[in-house]
Amino acid sequence: MQKPDTVYFFGTCLIDLLYPNAGLAGMQLIRSAGVKVIFPENQTCCGQPAFNSGYREEALQVARQLMTCFPGNIPIIVPSGSCGGMIKQHWPELFKDQSDYDEACSIAERTYELTQFLVETLDIQLTDLGQPVKIAIHTSCAARREMGVAEHIESLIGQLSQVETLEQERKPECCGFGGTFALKQADLSGAMVTDKTKAIRATGASKVISQDCGCLMNIGGALDKQKAGIESQHIAEFLWERSHATD
Amino acid sequence: MQQTESFKKRIDKALHNEQARINFRSGMSGLMTKRATQFNDDQELQNMRDHARAIRSYSLSHLPELLEQLEQKLVSNGIQVHWAENSKQANEIIYQILKKADAKTVVKGKSMVSEETGLNEYLEHKDIEILESDLGEFIIQLAKEMPSHIVMPAIHKNCKEVAELFKKHFPDLPYTENIEELTLMARNILRDKFVKADAGISGVNFAVAETGTLCLVENEGNGRMSTTTPNLHIAITGIEKVVARLSDVPPLFSILTKSALGQPITAYFNMISRPRPANEKDGPQHVHLVLLDNRRSQIRMDDELLDTLRCIRCGSCINHCPVYVQLGGHAYGTVYPGPIGSVLEPQRLGLDKIGALTSACTLCGACGEVCPVQIPLPKLINRLRAESVNSQRSEAQISGKGSLRKMLEANTWVLWKWIYANPGLYRVFRWAARRFRKLSPNRLGGWTQYRTAPVPAAKSLQQLAREEGFSNE
Amino acid sequence: MNNARENILNHLRTNRKTNTPLPEAIFPEDNWEREHKITQISERMQAVHTEVHRIPTDGMAEWFQQQLPLRKLNRVLLGDNELANTIESSMPPSIQVTRYLRDIEEWKQELFQDIDAGITSTFGAIAETGSLILWPNHEEPRLMSLVPPIHIAVLKADDIYVSFAEAIDKQQWGNYMPANALLISGPSKTADIEQTLVYGVHGPRQLIVLILE
């Protein structure tokens, strides 16, 4: 894709409510590369929670409302592998046999995960202004498999000279979030996040970075509960902080 | 909702079995590593998967014709063919064949379809001695357990547990925890059984319509023993296992062993096309094939769920599943565990019986990524979730559609929809959540048993975007 | 009972599926040099504990003469063909030769208990996977390569194909399939206990391949 003049930013409901700084950092990164960012006022949610719980009718109505937020034929940037994956991979399925199927497909085609956009389209170059730090990376399953962008988080962090990435055991394994799975199968999810945090803690990293706030809510919440002293942060916020040091 | 509760209990039990969890973790890590060594070229792997998928899809789209061709070929080769709509019919057919041959002792090669029909139990009730001869199956038969994995049935046991089991059942043999010695003991015990058995029962990996050939994949040689030494061989398989041509076999066989075991090939590939010809000196004089439906023809009705039947039972979805590795196979409570089990079993047995399995999945996609025939397992699990809470959705012939719909949950989603499909309401909700963030609950059921509770931020992203001068159009 | 057949087929027929095309059969490259095929097959076989010997065709008798006594074999099983005649004529007197001439039912116990090794020919081999192809028949029955603890297989170097697909194609398996066709790629093995590899579970513990050049 050619570098566009303007993009839409879909912040996702989780970020809007819980991690707004991650969303803001994503928008700032794009803007600093000279692209105008539109944040549509009426955006809410892509419909994923209901879709993954089997409530497709409800998911459809919420997705349809989101659809109205992106009328222009410009890219839609999502700072989340799983919400991006929902739109890109599952909207066509969700809207199958609906009158607005074509529109849903057009939006799916225009949807890009944030790191994907930063690397593939903007070819963003970052200068690390931060202090030396050791981190671990959690590539979300949706970023890895639905969006195919697992390597982008690595390459972006690779640009930061003062950041050392420590490799954890079983890195591609799911952290056990899975949306409502974490509530419906709480103990199972708990066992999974316990294994994941154990692997992260064993690296000695002081931060864990991911492309998805769902994973971060899970992993970060568990690390906090364990008082592990490991901070969790979204990739956008991490990149923005380090490349645009607090002035 | 009883199934949900009992599934929860099995999960709870599995999560508290520390030894089994260690065994599963090391087992699955080993299988994943070994598989990876076989596929070091992504493009080549993708080509292999495309080819294998196309072969299997062709089989399913031409199933009735291929089954008739298979039957006709087998019969002209001298192999008798039987059809069974369900487990009961299959077991009865097999029993009648054994009875007619006056067969009292049977040795069995590994067959998941026979697990599906509960054949062992059925024959034991009829006073027929049936002995599993695959080492893993032999171990779990001694332990009176179900397989915990479709390829590695005894992977939940370590050598100490096997040693204890052997001590209990064969007190005259010396106690050992040495795996080589344990294997040798099993060899000696079973060799004697192979000599004496009246009949052998096996599964089938691929049935070739073109030539009327039953293909069996194995490493141990027990499959060959069971299908060669006794004078009667009965094979049982699902109707979906047919493939059109002999030339379809090499690519499927290759991707099967690589995916399942990380082996370029197994020690034996056994292709059976006829009973013993008049001038030959060994091999069974009577060979039968039982073709089992067991709702496969129903699964095939739906254009999406049909993909379930492409499965070649390699188990790699199981090996890569982050949920299975925590639980092991027994927690699922079904013959087929893991992702393929969560897709196949609710369709086979009904959502009202075992639909809860679909809840044990994060939709992480690891299974679909490794499936050699590209079954979109996460997509099918999600589809079954929809079927299980909504009874009117599709034309799929699954029993128990809508049976997992709970009033409270359904209403919650309706409420969620109202809020999120209506930006005005959403703004009110968001304002309230932030306004009362100090009051947000710090205990959220199972969530906070393992994690801290998330707290709404002081300002929403929308607010920050405005403050930072981002446009809204 | 035969309603089952009609019920199943009718059910399948009433639901026609989109006609998915049959994929073109894949024939991997089959242009390997003879020497490459021999070294490849040897490496693959040795990787799974198969003993491989490359010997000149006229050196086979000598190999058996020397090697069988060294391996402390007392009783070997031969088939009923030219190969068996050649091997028996060169057999040292210390070794008892049994020919597989009777139906299995007449000597099953004996075969399982008293035979140390079975010696068979092969119908060809596959370099890519290190596999022997066996088509057992009345001259060399099926159990010869399965029951004795050692299986010695004689393979002509000219009969090595690159892939399984090539063998099926060139040998025209589609025209006639024997009662039993086999690929053997190493001695019997299992990893059912703790994924620990053990050779020799139900079939031969040792596989020895003589490649005749």
Side-chain angles (χ1 to χ4, degrees), chain B residues 314-345:
Chain B
C314 72
S316 70
C317 62
I318 301 173
N319 303 343
H320 290 75
C321 177
V323 167
Y324 175 89
V325 76
Q326 299 288 346
L327 296 180
H330 291 156
Y332 292 79
T334 47
V335 171
Y336 305 94
I340 186 64
S342 301
V343 169
L344 176 61
E345 298 293 34

Side-chain angles (χ1 to χ4, degrees), chain A residues 10 46 48 51-52 78 80-93 108 111-113 116 140-143 145-149 212:
Chain A
F10 168 45
C46 61
Q48 184 180 202
F51 181 72
N52 285 354
V78 189
S80 155
S82 84
C83 308
M86 174 67 196
I87 299 173
K88 198 152 195 78
Q89 305 294 342
H90 303 297
W91 270 24
E93 187 186 347
T111 297
Y112 299 84
E113 188 272 340
Q116 178 185 23
S140 89
C141 299
R145 303 197 180 92
E146 297 203 318
M147 299 304 284
V149 298
D212 253 285

Side-chain angles (χ1 to χ4, degrees), chain A residues 145-164:
Chain A
R145 303 197 180 92
E146 297 203 318
M147 299 304 284
V149 298
E151 74 272 24
H152 293 331
I153 186 170
E154 310 268 351
S155 72
L156 286 167
I157 289 176
Q159 292 185 25
L160 304 173
S161 57
Q162 296 297 306
V163 179
E164 186 187 348

Side-chain angles (χ1 to χ4, degrees), chain B residues 27 51 62 71 133 136 158-159 187 191 219-220 224 245 267 269-271 273-274 276 281-282 300 303, chain C residues 5 17 19 23-24 100 104-105 138 143 145 147 177 180-181 185 188-190 192 194 201-203:
Chain B
H51 192 69
H62 295 77
E71 180 187 42
S133 61
N158 62 11
C159 61
R187 174 188 172 100
R191 284 222 139 198
N219 274 317
E220 294 187 2
R224 286 181 66 197
R245 306 165 302 191
F269 188 60
N270 183 7
M271 305 172 84
S273 305
R274 306 159 197 284
R276 181 196 310 187
K281 303 183 183 83
D282 60 16
R300 185 172 167 277
D303 285 339
Chain C
R5 181 184 187 278
K17 288 290 156 193
N19 193 344
E24 288 285 314
Y100 200 143
I104 180 64
E105 285 74 20
H138 63 283
L143 291 173
S145 62
V147 174
M177 285 295 283
N180 187 212
S185 314
S188 149
K189 63 185 173 190
T190 185
D192 273 357
E194 289 192 18
V201 52
H202 297 295

Side-chain angles (χ1 to χ4, degrees), chain C residues 24-43:
Chain C
E24 288 285 314
I26 293 181
F27 293 105
E29 50 178 325
D30 54 0
N31 53 355
W32 293 10
E33 296 291 332
R34 178 188 151 101
E35 179 57 26
H36 186 56
K37 287 198 268 192
I38 298 175
T39 52
Q40 282 297 306
I41 200 170
S42 305
E43 274 176 29

